[in-house]
Amino acid sequence: MTTLTLPADPTGRLDLAAWSLRPVTLPEPLEFGQSAERDLALLRFLREATSHAVRLRWTLVGQPSFPLDTHVHLVPPSGGGDGPSRAYAARWGVGYRYGSFYYRRGPGLVVVKDVRPGVEPTRLVITDGFDAFLRLAGDPAAPGGGAGPSTGSDPGDAEAAAVAVEAGLACAAGTELLVLPYRMRHWPVPYTAV
């Protein structure tokens, strides 16, 4: 198994596409609970790893500042560093299922599917504001490029961010925002499979 050595701050932009579908082990635990902003940055890393279907093995220390249902769809930890972290990691692993909360983009729209455990199953088609959603998600295909992790300086993006948080599509802390669903890049099972 390949060991991915992260920089001292793993929350920076990494080219996770290069690790797509490959087994990767993080040598150091990801430590949650230091601040909500840092937790969002770590969850963003996990969202991108999940989006690229990186077969990530990592250890949890602490726990995220947000409820488990906001991130149960992201690649779970392989274990925890202490008793409470191990118990949280186990609950995360039980609830995880690839493809349970993602978005796909199309011409002039974004489709979001949400079938996370404990959440009302939803399929949402975003046409008005799809470009703002893509910018907030950091999607490079967004008109004008992906704004990335903050709520953006554009008043339309700030309004879209508030709507996304209220709708449960994003979490925010300070000026940081994380669009929760990941972009589906790899289908788990061909639709023709029996």
Side-chain angles (χ1 to χ4, degrees):
M1 186 167 296
T2 304
T3 299
L4 174 62
T5 303
L6 295 174
D9 181 10
T11 61
R13 296 278 181 189
L14 295 173
D15 181 16
L16 289 170
W19 297 93
S20 185
L21 301 173
R22 293 174 55 193
V24 172
T25 300
L26 298 184
E28 297 295 324
L30 295 182
E31 187 172 346
F32 284 89
Q34 296 173 359
S35 74
E37 292 87 353
R38 173 126 174 105
D39 288 355
L40 285 180
L42 292 171
L43 290 172
R44 181 173 298 103
F45 166 75
L46 294 175
R47 184 194 69 183
E48 292 307 305
T50 306
S51 176
H52 287 286
V54 175
R55 296 185 347 227
L56 189 65
R57 292 188 51 83
W58 64 281
T59 304
L60 172 74
V61 171
Q63 72 182 50
S65 306
F66 303 93
L68 182 57
D69 68 347
T70 62
H71 52 273
V72 70
H73 62 291
L74 304 177
V75 62
S78 306
D82 58 15
S85 295
R86 278 193 298 278
Y88 191 88
R91 285 197 324 272
W92 189 340
V94 166
Y96 173 75
R97 187 175 57 131
Y98 182 75
S100 62
F101 193 24
Y102 66 87
Y103 75 89
R104 293 182 307 149
R105 54 180 203 224
L109 61 89
V110 169
V111 177
V112 177
K113 178 184 175 188
D114 186 359
V115 292
R116 291 171 292 166
V119 175
E120 185 70 30
T122 305
R123 183 171 180 258
L124 177 65
V125 178
I126 302 170
T127 53
D128 292 337
F130 82 94
D131 50 345
F133 177 90
L134 291 175
R135 277 193 303 277
L136 293 172
D139 194 306
S150 73
T151 56
S153 57
D154 182 292
D157 286 358
E159 183 180 334
V163 169
V165 169
E166 186 177 330
L169 295 173
C171 285
T175 60
E176 295 299 306
L177 177 95
L178 175 65
V179 169
L180 296 170
Y182 54 85
R183 179 176 166 217
M184 179 63 79
R185 291 181 163 90
H186 302 277
W187 293 102
V189 178
Y191 72 92
T192 58
V194 177

